[in-house]
Amino acid sequence: MNLSTKAPHIVGVLLAGLAIITLQPLHKEMQHRIEQQQKHIETRQQWNNEYQAIQPLQMRWKASIPPANSEVFADQHRMTQHIAAGKYQLAMSETGITLTDASPLTHDGRPIGIMRYPIGNSGPNLVLTAADYNTAWTALRELQERPDVRYTRARIDAERGSPTLTLENFALLGRIEP
Amino acid sequence: MSPIQNAINNLRQRIAARQSSGNHLTGSANLAYIGQVRDLDPAMDTQNATTYVILGDLVLMAIDAIPNIPPASSTGLSDGDDYIAQPIRPSHRTDLSLAAIKTKPTHLHSIIHPALGQHINRHPGKRYILAADAMCKLAQKHRHKKHLLICNGYEAPEHTHLDVYQFAYGQLISVTESQLHETTHSRYVADVQEKLAKLTADIPDAHILWTAPLSAIELPSFPMEIIGPDIYQHKFLEVRTDGRTQPPSPKIPAIATILVIAGCTGIGAYDLQKFTQVRTAYDQLSQSTPTTDLPIDQLRTRATWQNALDTSAPQTTLKLAETLMAAIAQHPDWQLQSLQLATRRAGEPEIASANTSPLSITLLLPDQANQTAVEQAYQAITTLSSVTGIRLTVRPQGLSTQADNQQSKIRIVADMEPQ
């Protein structure tokens, strides 16, 4: 058998060898990529599930807490309006209002995307006046339900004249949304 | 040295070589040459060779044509004994060089003497190869040469059979078979010279190879390369006795190759399909859910924070305060002067405060002259505690008396004990 009759064999074996040599790492690479992609799918599925679970809360936040960059926090007047003391039949002295720099709220040392805007008309505290004790109590109960305001303690004083509702370390909240 | 002396030396050398081999079948231990009918049986009897190279009178060759069978009178064969056709050899180049493309493919047809076929059938287990295959293989080494002549042949005692293969760029273009005088004859060198002169008339620049089993010869006018018997030490197609002219098809390797390539392609296609499928699944998953502006861990923190808010104390503190207020209202002469609630909730900045109690009250009650203030305060707080179930304690220095509208009153500041 001379070289010319051998040639198809040689070419065939070479082709087969070439196919194996080139496709084998390619096959490995593909397997690897498929595996990775499957992991991605798994991660994404978990993410989706978690996201779906969190979604109602997000909607609640969006409905109840104004964005940090909104006009609500533009100036003292608008912030006062946002507190809406009148809604609770409370009077609020607008003299001596102090605003402190906003700071982000954290939970367990991690940011939660909330800015705190402290506002007070008696130092850090907000003092509101009610016509009677019941009005003050009802207002406190309603304020407790508001997700966009925070204070550390509430005090109702009925010692003399109209009862006052003092909200210590009062702050408005704004959500940071990119 | 004169040409005549040269020729004499040549002759002497060849006679010496012939005598030392002791047999007209020459070759190395496992190789022997069969060049005429007369060799057939004695060859097998005296040689232990495993491979036999067939050449000389036993093979007839032609390019792209069936070889002419000599008339029966000259071969002495009867009608039933026909020459046996051998597989057709592609004697052209299969590489992709320009020369290979330019040259027309040729095929070497060959037939063997029927006596050889019978002989082969009588001696199974031995290999029989055609010298022509070795020539074609040898030519491939010189395939870059435009003109190549390979001289091969068989030295019988009565005559010399000379085959001259002509190649152009490794492709066989002609085979010239001729009968010369025996090598010991004084005419032999002249015969060779005459033959070569004829063949190189049109191609004076041809490269000439002189191959075994022909004994080495030196011709000053024809410089040539002497090639030993090693050229037969390769795997060649064996001589067939069944008359088949089709070269053995490379079916099995071809099928194996196709299977391997198909397998690889299949695996590759499967991988690709699987990958695409996974990719599509991921894309669909990505599209099916809304995107978020915030990183998921921030959302997660938010959720836990909100949970903490929803389940934290202030709501219960409010309820406690209401219970307490209701209890105080049962005593018309008691007066709730101040109520303080802790409303700090999860995530709120920790602000230092003197009062850490969740609930504090300032109570004003009328001073009964028959009891001490401490007793009265103790009684009132105990009553409230037992009625409401809230554990209240009087704050240190939380007790005082004051005059209000000409009536003496006791002022009690009490804190709920932190739970």
Side-chain angles (χ1 to χ4, degrees):
Chain A
M1 196 188 298
N2 66 29
L3 188 75
S4 34
T5 53
K6 251 186 214 167
H9 297 243
I10 294 166
V11 169
V13 168
L14 281 180
L15 271 179
L18 203 70
I20 291 170
I21 288 165
T22 56
L23 284 173
Q24 208 238 358
L26 206 68
H27 173 63
K28 269 194 178 166
E29 175 65 22
M30 287 299 276
Q31 289 288 322
H32 177 68
R33 285 197 184 182
I34 289 168
E35 222 167 86
Q36 269 194 332
Q37 197 68 34
Q38 274 165 343
K39 273 185 197 158
H40 281 155
I41 287 180
E42 223 167 89
T43 317
R44 181 80 202 203
Q45 190 63 58
Q46 279 176 0
W47 190 95
N48 278 359
N49 294 346
E50 195 171 9
Y51 185 82
Q52 297 290 3
I54 292 170
Q55 195 58 17
L57 172 70
Q58 279 295 102
M59 302 306 285
R60 203 170 119 195
W61 275 43
K62 285 202 169 159
S64 58
I65 301 176
N69 57 4
S70 69
E71 292 199 341
V72 172
F73 307 103
D75 57 47
Q76 178 190 316
H77 178 64
R78 280 179 226 186
M79 282 173 78
T80 311
Q81 275 189 327
H82 183 62
I83 296 166
K87 205 172 121 189
Y88 312 100
Q89 272 121 53
L90 296 173
M92 175 180 160
S93 163
E94 287 195 38
T95 55
I97 285 185
T98 49
L99 301 178
T100 316
D101 285 344
S103 57
L105 263 190
T106 56
H107 180 61
D108 288 345
R110 286 196 296 272
I112 48 175
I114 287 280
M115 287 300 277
R116 201 173 163 275
Y117 295 87
I119 177 170
N121 56 5
S122 170
N125 304 335
L126 192 70
V127 179
L128 304 155
T129 316
D132 51 54
Y133 193 90
N134 268 344
T135 311
W137 181 252
T138 313
L140 175 58
R141 287 193 54 158
E142 282 172 22
L143 280 166
Q144 276 295 113
E145 298 298 321
R146 265 181 75 166
D148 59 336
V149 297
R150 285 289 183 279
Y151 37 89
T152 53
R153 288 182 81 82
R155 192 171 76 235
I156 302 171
D157 288 305
E159 209 163 343
R160 54 191 170 274
S162 313
T164 56
L165 173 60
T166 305
L167 304 171
E168 291 179 11
N169 303 304
F170 187 85
L172 291 173
L173 302 185
R175 67 189 148 85
I176 307 161
E177 300 288 350
Chain B
M1 202 183 276
S2 74
I4 297 161
Q5 274 178 315
N6 216 338
I8 291 166
N9 280 343
N10 247 329
L11 197 61
R12 279 188 186 142
Q13 276 169 11
R14 273 182 284 113
I15 290 165
R18 173 63 55 87
Q19 282 166 346
S20 65
S21 78
N23 196 304
H24 48 267
L25 284 169
T26 54
S28 54
N30 62 350
L31 200 66
Y33 305 94
I34 305 178
Q36 55 179 348
V37 179
R38 269 171 49 182
D39 287 345
L40 289 171
D41 278 326
M44 295 319 296
D45 296 342
T46 55
Q47 297 287 315
N48 284 323
T50 51
T51 301
Y52 292 87
V53 180
I54 308 302
L55 70 171
D57 299 337
L58 295 175
V59 195
L60 302 175
M61 290 175 283
I63 290 168
D64 287 337
I66 294 152
N68 291 320
I69 297 163
S73 59
S74 70
T75 57
L77 290 170
S78 56
D79 287 345
D81 294 332
D82 287 334
Y83 272 76
I84 303 163
Q86 292 302 301
I88 298 162
R89 271 88 164 146
S91 68
H92 50 85
R93 299 175 57 190
T94 50
D95 61 4
L96 293 174
S97 67
L98 192 62
I101 292 163
K102 271 157 74 178
T103 50
K104 194 171 138 272
T106 57
H107 296 84
L108 177 68
H109 296 249
S110 52
I111 52 178
I112 58 162
H113 197 279
L116 177 61
Q118 288 158 14
H119 172 85
I120 289 170
N121 289 335
R122 277 200 309 272
H123 297 89
K126 303 282 186 181
R127 287 183 70 241
Y128 298 86
I129 60 170
L130 292 182
D133 284 337
M135 299 307 118
C136 286
K137 185 174 177 63
L138 181 61
Q140 294 308 313
K141 283 186 191 157
H142 300 271
R143 63 178 178 271
H144 53 279
K145 293 197 174 72
K146 194 178 175 189
H147 299 297
L148 177 73
L149 291 177
I150 302 180
C151 302
N152 183 243
Y154 184 73
E155 296 169 356
E158 297 84 17
H159 69 277
T160 303
H161 184 104
L162 180 70
D163 292 319
V164 183
Y165 298 79
Q166 190 187 340
F167 293 90
Y169 294 117
Q171 173 162 327
L172 184 62
I173 53 175
S174 76
V175 184
T176 314
E177 295 177 51
S178 42
Q179 295 265 4
L180 309 182
H181 284 95
E182 63 270 26
T183 50
T184 48
H185 196 280
S186 56
R187 281 285 304 155
Y188 173 66
V189 174
D191 278 357
V192 172
Q193 245 166 346
E194 192 186 314
K195 200 78 212 168
L196 288 178
K198 211 169 155 188
L199 287 164
T200 56
D202 296 333
I203 44 170
D205 56 337
H207 187 77
I208 304 168
L209 305 179
W210 188 264
T211 59
L214 290 176
S215 316
I217 185 170
E218 226 175 274
L219 300 172
S221 48
F222 298 103
M224 46 198 188
E225 204 181 316
I226 309 295
I227 308 289
D230 284 349
I231 46 166
Y232 302 107
Q233 304 283 13
H234 293 281
K235 201 162 174 275
F236 293 110
L237 201 61
E238 284 185 48
V239 175
R240 299 185 72 110
T241 56
D242 57 6
R244 280 185 58 184
T245 54
Q246 287 301 309
S249 74
K251 255 181 200 156
I252 291 166
I255 289 168
T257 303
I258 289 166
L259 282 180
V260 166
I261 291 172
C264 288
T265 315
I267 291 167
Y270 173 77
D271 282 350
L272 202 65
Q273 191 252 340
K274 181 90 184 164
F275 182 70
T276 316
Q277 189 188 324
V278 173
R279 194 63 174 265
T280 313
Y282 181 77
D283 286 347
Q284 280 174 351
L285 197 63
S286 305
Q287 279 165 12
S288 69
T289 50
T291 52
T292 169
D293 313 328
L294 289 170
I296 191 80
D297 55 337
Q298 192 161 330
L299 293 179
R300 206 179 289 141
T301 314
R302 244 181 212 195
T304 53
W305 183 65
Q306 188 65 49
N307 276 339
L309 280 191
D310 291 347
T311 55
S312 68
Q315 306 304 326
T316 49
T317 317
L318 276 182
K319 280 207 175 68
L320 291 177
E322 278 183 344
T323 317
L324 207 55
M325 277 152 62
I328 293 164
Q330 298 298 311
H331 304 269
D333 51 348
W334 291 9
Q335 193 189 334
L336 181 62
Q337 202 173 49
S338 173
L339 176 76
Q340 228 184 86
L341 304 169
T343 56
R344 206 186 79 80
R345 303 201 281 192
E348 221 75 38
E350 197 81 50
I351 290 160
S353 169
N355 190 352
T356 54
S357 168
L359 184 63
S360 306
I361 51 166
T362 307
L363 203 59
L364 217 57
L365 35 124
D367 191 3
Q368 312 289 335
N370 57 348
Q371 273 182 308
T372 65
V374 176
E375 277 172 343
Q376 292 177 58
Y378 179 76
Q379 262 182 6
I381 294 305
T382 312
T383 311
L384 272 183
S385 291
S386 60
V387 167
T388 59
I390 299 166
R391 285 171 57 90
L392 290 167
T393 50
V394 178
R395 193 184 291 176
Q397 285 99 44
L399 191 62
S400 58
T401 53
Q402 64 180 78
D404 189 19
N405 297 333
Q406 273 96 51
Q407 200 192 348
S408 177
K409 297 214 169 173
I410 301 166
R411 189 170 182 272
I412 311 162
V413 181
D415 295 318
M416 177 184 161
E417 283 178 18
Q419 281 150 326

